[in-house]
Amino acid sequence: MLNQIVDLLQMVGWQTAVLFLVVFFIGLYWIQQPVNLPPGPTGWPVVGCALKVKSGETHIAFTNWSKQYGVVFSVRLGPQLFVVLNDLRSIKKALHEQADDFSDRLVVDFAKLLGVEGSVVFENGTVWKERRRFGLGALRSFGMGKKSIEHSINEESRYLLDGFADKQGKPFDATHLINNAVSNIICKICFGYRFDYSDPKFAELIAILGEQLSDSSSLFANFKSAASEARTKRNAEFIIDFVRKIVQDHHQSYDENDIRDIIDMGIAEVKQSKSKEKHGGRNKKEFFNDGALIRSVIFLFIAGTDTTTQTLLWTLMYMALHPDVQKKVQSEIDEAIGGSRQPLMTDSPNMPYTNAVIMEMQRMRPVAPLAIPRKTRDDTTLDGYTIPSNTCVFVNIWAVHHDPATWTEPEKYNPARFLSADGKSVIQHGSLITFGTGRRACMGENLAKSELFIFFVNILQRFTVTFPEGKATPSQDGSAGAILGPRPYELCGTIRRT
Ligand code: HEM
């Protein structure tokens, strides 16, 4: 057989044979394309259009393609087919009106390594419903909307401000401090305690989470190098181990009459689930066990830390870029709160300008520009196009936030777009969808809003931030892995009050 192939190749010539094979595979690729897909850019077999997308700028490539091919378009990046929704109308149609078809999650590689069983972010169907119910209940009990969490954020702010003060006005990168502070809020809610910023294990956890979330292959799994895959695996093992130990400690000191945090709540749920399991009646996957509890906590960490951290880093960068805006925020703080006490969420309604500044930042630089990937449950249609089951669907938040049909001069930084004409109240805008929309919208939105407001106000109450003198202004483009954060930059924090 091999001899016959070699004879044949010698007869037609190697070049003709290679050409034939290339044409054959391109033909096969085209024949295998599903019919009536949304239009989109033409790609090559195997790589699709991946080579046309600059690393970290997928949201921008998608936004440009939507101008050419329409607000609902399809594209292959690697062998995987993606459908991208780029305006509020198509997003609402899919995520609200056809929620059964578009509410499942695609499981990205990092999540596979951590294990998705029990995770609210990546489970689907009835298990997801159960996990979301538990997660929302847990966040409400220990976080969102509670006075106690405001106190925790203010307590953490004091450590953060000490960190700023230690720099004595010299240039520093605030990422580490802010990341620690934000992560400690989730630690407090989940573990019942915070970590010291110098704790080496905690520092490692933060560094690993940051590394993983800045890796764009966390979302686009097709072009992973062996080194990146090995690193991802190591990272996943470290994170699981870290949380497993804390869950084990909680088991030792568990007291059903003193539920201290989300892990205790989870342990109560595991015990309840075990007793239900004994009496039968439910699908095994729906039972909650320690593994599912560990993963629930890990995914709260992943969803709730870098998102908030990077939003704060963007906001501080724009304060240094726009000193006039910073001054106005500080005047509002001085008037509404003064300098002798820390902010509370009850101050928020009296501070429309500060809120508008946070909202404009979330519009201009949404930290999850492509949300978290979804997939179609079954074959479905949208706007007359056919979308096969298991197609990855991206919601392009970036495109919605930069749509000139919605926003006047969308590239311009202008907090006033969120203010009434007299500047006395905030205008809510339906096209601001930083936290996603529909059934799978962000679960931590209220907690994130409290953190953003309290941390930001604490910082500007005590410090004025500027860029180091004589250095180039940092890039405002950012760099997107799973999260769109600013590229590393330095600030100086000058004390306003002591
Ligand atoms: C500025 C901060 C944050 C931003 C911009 C943000 C944004 C998002 C976005 C865009 C999604 C996907 C929504 C969709 O698919 O439609 C999401 C999902 C999620 N977020 Fe957030 N988030 C933030 C903070 C948080 C915090 C603090 C927590 C919790 C402690 C959290 C927990 C979650 C969870 C659990 C999901 C998955 C929900 C599900 O699949 O049912 N997020 N977030």
Side-chain angles (χ1 to χ4, degrees):
M1 175 72 172
L2 197 63
N3 287 344
Q4 280 163 325
I5 294 174
V6 173
D7 287 348
L8 184 70
L9 287 177
Q10 276 167 352
M11 252 167 60
V12 297
W14 287 97
Q15 280 142 332
T16 316
V18 169
L19 190 69
F20 171 78
L21 281 177
V22 169
V23 171
F24 175 77
F25 280 116
I26 291 179
L28 196 69
Y29 172 76
W30 282 112
I31 288 166
Q32 284 179 337
Q33 288 289 330
V35 286
N36 193 32
L37 278 178
T42 315
W44 290 95
V46 186
V47 290
C49 291
L51 302 176
K52 296 181 186 167
V53 178
K54 264 202 204 155
S55 167
E57 292 187 4
T58 315
H59 54 290
I60 294 175
F62 283 177
T63 306
N64 291 338
W65 277 326
S66 76
K67 288 176 193 150
Q68 209 177 332
Y69 298 101
V71 289
V72 178
F73 74 85
S74 67
V75 61
R76 276 186 196 276
L77 299 179
Q80 185 158 14
L81 175 67
F82 295 90
V83 166
V84 189
L85 313 179
N86 295 276
D87 75 337
L88 196 63
R89 181 204 56 82
S90 63
I91 291 170
K92 287 211 160 157
K93 199 167 172 201
L95 272 46
H96 294 202
E97 290 169 34
Q98 294 176 231
D100 285 345
D101 294 335
F102 288 94
S103 292
D104 280 1
R105 288 267 187 237
L106 180 92
V107 179
V108 299
D109 270 16
F110 182 48
K112 276 187 203 149
L113 284 172
L114 286 167
V116 293
E117 212 178 299
S119 133
V120 64
V121 185
F122 288 104
E123 279 282 14
N124 293 317
T126 46
V127 181
W128 163 74
K129 254 190 211 152
E130 280 275 299
R131 291 300 99 225
R132 185 148 173 127
R133 182 197 54 75
F134 170 78
L136 277 172
L139 279 173
R140 273 192 209 111
S141 301
F142 291 101
M144 296 190 309
K146 292 262 164 184
K147 277 262 167 264
S148 57
I149 199 67
E150 281 186 52
H151 292 312
S152 295
I153 305 170
N154 269 327
E155 182 198 7
E156 200 55 51
S157 297
R158 293 196 287 275
Y159 290 102
L160 178 65
L161 297 182
D162 285 350
F164 268 56
D166 284 347
K167 309 292 176 196
Q168 301 181 330
K170 297 200 183 86
F172 72 105
D173 181 343
T175 310
H176 179 68
L177 281 175
I178 291 185
N179 213 344
N180 275 296
V182 169
S183 303
N184 261 336
I185 300 305
I186 306 275
C187 289
K188 200 82 200 268
I189 294 172
C190 292
F191 309 152
Y193 51 81
R194 64 178 294 280
F195 288 89
D196 196 86
Y197 295 174
S198 58
D199 185 315
K201 267 270 180 222
F202 184 52
E204 202 176 346
L205 176 75
I206 304 282
I208 281 176
L209 283 173
E211 177 180 281
Q212 208 48 55
L213 290 168
S214 62
D215 179 356
S216 58
S217 60
S218 296
L219 279 190
F220 305 97
N222 303 309
F223 295 104
K224 242 187 189 103
S225 65
S228 143
E229 210 161 318
R231 194 183 55 220
T232 301
K233 198 158 178 274
R234 256 195 336 269
N235 287 350
E237 278 163 10
F238 178 91
I239 297 168
I240 292 171
D241 219 43
F242 188 97
V243 178
R244 185 186 292 122
K245 284 197 184 101
I246 296 176
V247 169
Q248 280 165 352
D249 289 347
H250 271 65
H251 268 293
Q252 306 269 311
S253 53
Y254 177 74
D255 171 0
E256 64 180 11
N257 298 314
D258 179 22
I259 300 295
R260 299 158 293 182
D261 46 46
I262 287 188
I263 292 186
D264 272 356
M265 250 185 112
I267 291 176
E269 178 108 348
V270 170
K271 286 183 189 295
Q272 209 186 8
S273 199
K274 268 193 189 142
S275 89
K276 273 188 198 158
E277 197 175 6
K278 261 195 211 149
H279 299 100
R282 289 168 89 206
N283 173 346
K284 186 121 184 92
K285 246 194 122 197
E286 287 169 35
F287 291 111
F288 200 46
N289 54 29
D290 268 3
L293 170 57
I294 290 167
R295 286 186 286 274
S296 298
V297 169
I298 291 174
F299 281 105
L300 272 191
F301 248 99
I302 292 179
T305 52
D306 222 33
T307 41
T308 313
T309 298
Q310 300 300 336
T311 309
L312 282 167
L313 287 169
W314 278 122
T315 315
L316 291 180
M317 176 194 265
Y318 272 69
M319 289 304 94
L321 278 169
H322 300 277
D324 52 325
V325 174
Q326 180 170 194
K327 255 201 196 109
K328 273 190 176 174
V329 173
Q330 287 171 326
S331 307
E332 195 175 67
I333 295 173
D334 293 348
E335 207 171 296
I337 304 171
S340 57
R341 68 164 175 91
Q342 287 184 286
L344 293 169
M345 285 314 288
T346 45
D347 295 316
S348 175
N350 307 324
M351 300 175 67
Y353 192 75
T354 306
N355 279 298
V357 164
I358 297 172
M359 288 160 91
E360 175 66 343
M361 201 65 258
Q362 294 200 298
R363 180 195 71 79
M364 272 199 86
R365 294 293 177 265
V367 289
L370 295 171
I372 305 176
R374 313 248 184 145
K375 68 169 183 184
T376 44
R377 186 174 295 171
D378 299 306
D379 291 353
T380 184
T381 55
L382 186 71
D383 281 3
Y385 300 114
T386 307
I387 308 177
S389 62
N390 279 319
T391 301
C392 176
V393 178
F394 272 118
V395 169
N396 192 348
I397 294 178
W398 177 273
V400 176
H401 286 189
H402 289 83
D403 185 352
T406 311
W407 312 95
T408 321
E409 296 186 275
E411 300 312 321
K412 197 170 157 197
Y413 176 71
N414 177 18
R417 67 174 89 238
F418 289 103
L419 287 175
S420 58
D422 62 5
K424 288 190 177 152
S425 49
V426 165
I427 298 174
Q428 299 297 338
H429 210 303
S431 294
L432 184 71
I433 53 164
T434 328
F435 294 97
T437 182
R439 281 181 199 165
R440 297 208 75 150
C442 180
M443 252 170 55
E445 176 170 349
N446 286 337
L447 173 63
K449 284 180 170 167
S450 304
E451 288 187 61
L452 292 175
F453 179 80
I454 295 180
F455 279 131
F456 178 53
V457 171
N458 265 296
I459 295 170
L460 287 203
Q461 189 180 35
R462 277 275 302 280
F463 293 92
T464 296
V465 292
T466 51
F467 294 129
E469 249 175 63
K471 284 211 176 162
T473 308
S475 156
Q476 290 128 62
D477 290 343
S479 168
I483 301 290
L484 172 66
R487 292 171 203 278
Y489 71 95
E490 289 193 322
L491 281 176
C492 300
T494 313
I495 293 190
R496 298 181 63 215
R497 303 167 202 278
T498 47

